[in-house]
Amino acid sequence: MRFEVSKVLDAIEARLTTDPALARAVVDMSEIVRYADLDGGRPASSVRLGLVIDALGRRVSEENVPVYVVTPRGLLSDTDLTSNERMVVRRWADDGKVEVVPQLDDRVFEVAELLGLPVLTRSRGNRDRHPWVDEPGRLLAAVAGEGGSPVLMARVGRGEPPRPAERSPLGERLLARIWSCPEPNCTSFGSGGDPDSPFADMRTFTSPVSQPPPSLRSGAPTCPRHGAKLRDAGPRPAVEVLSVRIDGVIRRRFVVSTDEPVVVGRAPEGGRGIMLGQWLTDDARKWISRGHVQFTLRTDGNLTVQDISTNGSGIRPGGAVDDDERIALHRQESRTLGPADVVELYAGVQVGRSKMWATGGVVQPESVMGEAPTMALRKFERS
């Protein structure tokens, strides 16, 4: 069963992000791990995070939906979790995949307010400090649903879906800058993590482009993990959020910044870029090159695409569905994209700005719980 749990935690890890451009909801992990009513298991289990992520994916009808996880430092040593679970959460913290804070306070609600995201919680929040919690769809509670699969229920309103992410004006100002923590090993606002960590050789640091929002203490931008005042290190690179849509289903979102172009293809070289191979048909795999198109965001705000493939690609101006309007894009040819233009690598394999596609088009997204322990194993574990 330990192997099964480890595979579930690996699948959950792929859905974790502190990147403000990608996160779709904010959660308090220390709350979610204790939702024993969702699976009838141990008092605390990190696998329950996967149940809630799945519920979010079903609600927004999207594959691979990413969540912003905040956890108090005490959870890293909570003996209600297994030693393997504690080790994994510590690795997530070291890698900057989750945000660790000394005390939770209202950090979850602060992040949600700055980024304009819903909170997945059973708490009602502090209406005096965060009056927006009364808005429909901003607080979503995970409850047991029919057939045993948890669902998200709106705490306020009549079940309206979460509103589109709208950052607060303060959030926009904070996220327009790069921040630097005086702690040299800060994973969120520094150049690295703890060099003595057993996971140091596996770490992927948070880049300035994807820095999480600072915490505000007495009006000053502050590192939420170390409590130190942050230094303004200059403007943050601009970003565009793009989505890969295959046969009408959004499979993945990704960020292009003015700092670095992004290659999309069947399996880009060096493990960098956006790999589509796992979602392609045999015919699509034969047509789409390992690295097929490259997206670049210029400093003037224009997004360009360059074909780097063998077989070519195309542009559908304004998302046109008529094949007569499709513009061929040949090898090494570049084009500036309009706000609603869609890049087509192969029939049905498209990339466009995320705001164009409000819903993912899939009713039952792929679950992160495919390798979860069965109920029989969970009962055995408790005995």
Side-chain angles (χ1 to χ4, degrees):
M1 185 177 68
R2 180 179 299 176
F3 180 63
E4 289 177 309
V5 170
S6 294
K7 289 203 289 185
V8 174
L9 294 178
D10 287 344
I12 292 172
E13 181 175 334
R15 310 287 179 89
L16 305 179
T17 186
T18 55
D19 187 335
L22 293 177
R24 302 297 308 279
V26 189
V27 302
D28 165 16
M29 186 170 178
S30 65
E31 176 188 350
I32 284 176
V33 299
R34 299 191 182 278
Y35 289 172
D37 58 301
L38 295 185
D39 60 6
R42 293 182 288 113
S45 171
S46 57
V47 170
R48 290 177 190 133
L49 179 57
L51 293 172
V52 176
I53 291 173
D54 278 354
L56 177 63
R58 289 190 294 271
R59 184 177 177 88
V60 300
S61 299
E62 184 173 321
E63 296 277 13
N64 302 303
V65 60
V67 296
Y68 189 122
V69 173
V70 182
T71 181
R73 186 176 295 153
L75 190 68
L76 277 62
S77 56
D78 191 328
T79 54
D80 282 341
L81 298 177
T82 67
S83 58
N84 182 54
E85 287 175 303
R86 295 195 299 271
M87 179 184 70
V88 170
V89 176
R90 194 172 298 116
R91 187 185 76 229
W92 291 348
D94 284 347
D95 286 352
K97 295 184 181 298
V98 301
E99 182 179 286
V100 177
V101 292
Q103 300 292 331
L104 198 64
D105 296 326
D106 69 342
R107 176 58 177 168
V108 170
F109 292 91
E110 180 183 48
V111 171
E113 181 173 3
L114 292 173
L115 303 186
L117 296 175
V119 182
L120 310 187
T121 181
R122 293 179 180 178
S123 166
R124 288 195 174 273
N126 187 322
R127 285 169 169 73
D128 293 333
R129 300 181 68 176
H130 305 291
W132 53 267
V133 300
D134 283 329
E135 297 174 8
R138 295 302 299 274
L139 298 186
L140 301 172
V143 297
E146 295 183 8
S149 296
V151 295
L152 296 180
M153 303 293 292
R155 298 298 306 270
V156 179
R158 300 181 178 179
E160 296 92 336
R163 70 176 189 179
E166 296 178 2
R167 295 174 183 167
S168 70
L170 176 59
E172 291 285 4
R173 292 196 297 272
L174 289 174
L175 293 173
R177 312 300 296 178
I178 296 173
W179 302 98
S180 176
C181 180
E183 292 291 332
N185 296 323
C186 181
T187 54
S188 296
F189 303 99
S191 58
D194 181 1
D196 297 324
S197 165
F199 312 110
D201 60 337
M202 303 166 60
R203 183 178 295 117
T204 54
F205 301 123
T206 302
S207 74
V209 173
S210 57
Q211 276 188 350
S215 182
L216 285 176
R217 299 187 183 178
S218 301
T222 304
C223 176
R225 183 166 188 171
H226 298 107
K229 185 176 180 180
L230 297 173
R231 179 179 64 86
D232 187 337
R236 185 191 299 236
V239 300
E240 277 276 10
V241 183
L242 305 183
S243 291
V244 175
R245 190 170 70 164
I246 300 178
D247 295 330
V249 176
I250 294 177
R251 296 294 184 178
R252 178 170 176 182
R253 297 172 187 262
F254 64 96
V255 172
V256 181
S257 75
T258 51
D259 257 14
E260 186 176 5
V262 176
V263 172
V264 179
R266 187 181 71 249
E269 297 285 350
R272 297 176 65 85
I274 306 302
M275 182 173 71
L276 309 182
Q278 66 270 35
W279 298 305
L280 301 178
T281 63
D282 288 342
D283 287 342
R285 286 193 192 97
K286 293 174 183 176
W287 179 271
I288 296 176
S289 300
R290 292 192 55 148
H292 200 91
V293 291
Q294 177 173 281
F295 292 92
T296 302
L297 183 61
R298 301 200 311 239
T299 55
D300 62 5
N302 284 317
L303 180 67
T304 66
V305 61
Q306 181 184 25
D307 186 282
I308 55 174
S309 72
T310 300
N311 295 316
S313 50
I315 308 291
R316 291 189 175 272
V321 296
D322 190 337
D323 288 342
D324 291 338
E325 297 183 48
R326 186 180 186 272
I327 301 170
L329 195 66
H330 304 291
R331 181 173 176 81
Q332 300 305 320
E333 186 178 357
S334 298
R335 183 180 176 89
T336 299
L337 296 174
D341 288 353
V342 172
V343 179
E344 190 169 62
L345 284 65
Y346 180 81
V349 181
Q350 301 177 329
V351 180
R353 288 177 171 86
S354 289
K355 56 191 175 185
M356 291 175 48
W357 296 317
T359 60
V362 57
V363 176
Q364 189 67 28
E366 183 179 351
S367 172
V368 299
M369 303 294 292
E371 302 295 338
T374 63
M375 184 62 74
L377 282 173
R378 289 198 292 269
K379 289 180 179 179
F380 174 79
E381 181 187 25
R382 297 197 307 272
S383 62

